[in-house]
């Protein structure tokens, strides 16, 4: 398959998820959205349901997921909204979710995540942000590969962040066992891993017709920032050399996820990183946007895949 040039769409940073989905018919399509009980996950699920998809909300808080499902049913009239428990940092929970899935899966939105947490570890000793944001989603997607292949032309959406610019994957000490823990370096590393997953999964799964793309949703005030105070958020958005990153609404923040999940402009396209509803340009030093070369590096992507498989056993 020939690789086309940079993907440009009619949509922008101001576009909403609902605007991106105008004219999209997802009737007969089955979708999973992780972390769909809060933030942009709710809006992503709502818009995909509004386009006719059968949507499963994969969430840690099942009660919150059921409230969200009820709201989506009431707002869209689509009754095919399901809730399933999923804790990405719990291997047994991931295994149960995968084992409980039956039939094809057309769209998987790896949306859930944690940001800038204190130093926390899973029972296996894995750093929590890497375990949740990368390892858990890798295990879900890999476990559902057969379902994705059965769908024909399935898409996986990997929600990353501009924070990937803060750190490559530090293969010599991924879990901060030797270096001092830094919550933002840990978060950035996990978000780089989300992009590298898209690169290597697209390469490995091309024969199954599965494509994977990563994205930066934008700066949105959601529960994701619960470990970060308001002053720190403003400092991270602004700076002396560049203008502050503008805040997006939740509806705007979900737009790029919905674009990657549904747009015909992305048919057959994988292994790329998008922001503001368009494929990102390479990052330049000092800029707050764009994609780091190390996040798209095929060698790093292949290495991360092998390390991840070894880690998960």
């Amino acid at each position: 398959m020939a690789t086309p040039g940079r993907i440009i769409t009619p949509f922008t940073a101001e576009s909403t998820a609902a605007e991106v989905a105008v004219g999209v018919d997802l009737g007969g399509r089955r979708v999973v959205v992780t972390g769909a009980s809060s933030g942009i996950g709710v809006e992503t699920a709502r818009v995909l349901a509004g386009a006719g998809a059968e949507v499963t909300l994969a969430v840690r808080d099942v009660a919150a997921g059921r409230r969200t499902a009820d709201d989506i049913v009431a707002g869209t009239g689509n009754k095919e909204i399901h809730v399933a428990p999923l804790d990405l940092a719990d291997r047994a929970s991931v295994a149960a979710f995968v084992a409980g899935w039956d039939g094809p899966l057309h769209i998987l939105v790896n949306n859930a995540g944690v940001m800038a947490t204190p130093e926390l570890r899973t029972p296996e000793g894995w750093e929590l942000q890497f375990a949740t944001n990368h390892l858990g989603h890798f295990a879900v997607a890999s476990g559902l590969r057969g379902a994705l292949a059965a769908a024909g032309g399935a898409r996986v959406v990997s929600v990353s962040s501009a924070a990937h610019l803060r750190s490559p994957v530090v293969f010599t000490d991924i879990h901060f066992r030797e270096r001092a823990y830094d919550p933002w370096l840990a978060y950035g590393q996990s978000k780089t891993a989300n992009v590298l997953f898209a690169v290597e999964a697209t390469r490995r799964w091309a024969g199954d017709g599965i494509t994977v793309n990563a994205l930066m949703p934008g700066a949105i005030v959601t529960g994701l920032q619960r470990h970060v105070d308001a002053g720190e958020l403003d400092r991270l958005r602004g700076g002396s050399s560049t203008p502050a990153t503008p805040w997006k609404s939740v509806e705007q923040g979900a737009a790029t996820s919905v674009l990657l999940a549904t747009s015909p402009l992305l048919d057959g396209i994988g292994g790329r990183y998008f922001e503001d509803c368009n494929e990102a340009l390479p990052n330049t030093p000092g800029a707050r946007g764009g994609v780091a070369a190390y996040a798209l590096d095929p060698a790093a992507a292949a290495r991360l895949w092998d390390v991840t498989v070894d880690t998960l056993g």
Side-chain angles (χ1 to χ4, degrees):
M1 180 177 65
T3 301
R6 179 178 174 231
I7 303 298
I8 304 296
T9 80
F11 305 106
T12 69
E14 288 73 39
S15 300
T16 67
E19 289 168 347
V20 167
V22 169
V24 171
D25 180 5
L26 296 181
R29 303 292 183 91
R30 305 177 77 207
V31 175
V32 168
V33 182
T34 69
S37 61
S38 65
I40 64 171
V42 174
E43 182 65 7
T44 301
R46 186 189 68 79
V47 171
L48 297 177
E54 175 189 331
V55 181
T56 295
L57 316 181
V59 297
R60 281 192 304 170
D61 186 338
V62 173
R66 287 175 178 150
R67 291 192 296 271
T68 299
D70 290 343
D71 288 343
I72 291 174
V73 171
T76 66
N78 183 346
K79 296 181 179 180
E80 293 298 319
I81 312 301
H82 314 292
V83 179
L86 176 64
D87 183 343
L88 290 163
D90 183 331
R91 300 182 75 181
S93 176
V94 171
F97 178 82
V98 168
W101 186 266
D102 184 46
L105 175 62
H106 300 83
I107 299 168
L108 170 61
V109 183
N110 287 335
N111 166 83
V114 291
M115 173 195 279
T117 64
E119 185 172 5
L120 298 169
R121 298 184 181 275
T122 68
E124 297 83 2
W126 304 331
E127 189 277 314
L128 182 67
Q129 296 189 76
F130 192 82
T132 302
N133 299 345
H134 171 64
L135 294 176
H137 276 133
F138 181 99
V140 169
S142 296
L144 294 175
R145 177 181 174 181
L148 292 163
R155 298 185 186 189
V156 180
V157 178
S158 184
V159 178
S160 179
S161 169
H164 84 274
L165 298 170
R166 292 177 172 271
S167 179
V169 173
V170 180
F171 288 103
T172 55
D173 190 18
I174 287 175
H175 297 287
F176 291 84
R177 295 189 172 105
E178 303 296 331
R179 53 186 170 142
Y181 179 74
D182 182 302
W184 286 108
L185 291 181
Y187 181 63
Q189 174 181 245
S190 73
K191 295 289 100 179
T192 293
N194 292 154
V195 188
L196 291 172
F197 168 73
V199 172
E200 184 67 3
T202 293
R203 186 186 74 81
R204 287 176 178 258
W205 296 350
D208 292 329
I210 303 167
T211 55
V212 189
N213 287 292
L215 71 117
M216 158 63 169
I220 312 117
V221 178
T222 69
L224 182 65
Q225 295 97 6
R226 60 187 174 276
H227 298 290
V228 187
D229 65 38
E232 176 72 356
L233 280 179
D234 284 340
R235 184 187 69 78
L236 292 167
R237 288 175 54 244
S240 58
S241 60
T242 57
T245 303
W247 290 112
K248 287 185 177 183
S249 67
V250 171
E251 292 79 8
Q252 292 168 332
T256 308
S257 293
V258 171
L259 178 92
L260 298 187
T262 67
S263 175
L265 296 172
L266 273 295
D267 285 346
I269 300 297
R272 306 195 187 194
Y273 175 89
F274 289 73
E275 59 188 4
D276 297 336
C277 294
N278 289 276
E279 186 175 353
L281 292 166
N283 173 257
T284 55
R288 297 182 181 277
V291 60
Y294 56 69
L296 296 176
D297 177 22
R303 183 180 183 184
L304 177 62
W305 192 282
D306 291 341
V307 167
T308 302
V309 170
D310 288 345
T311 300
L312 294 173

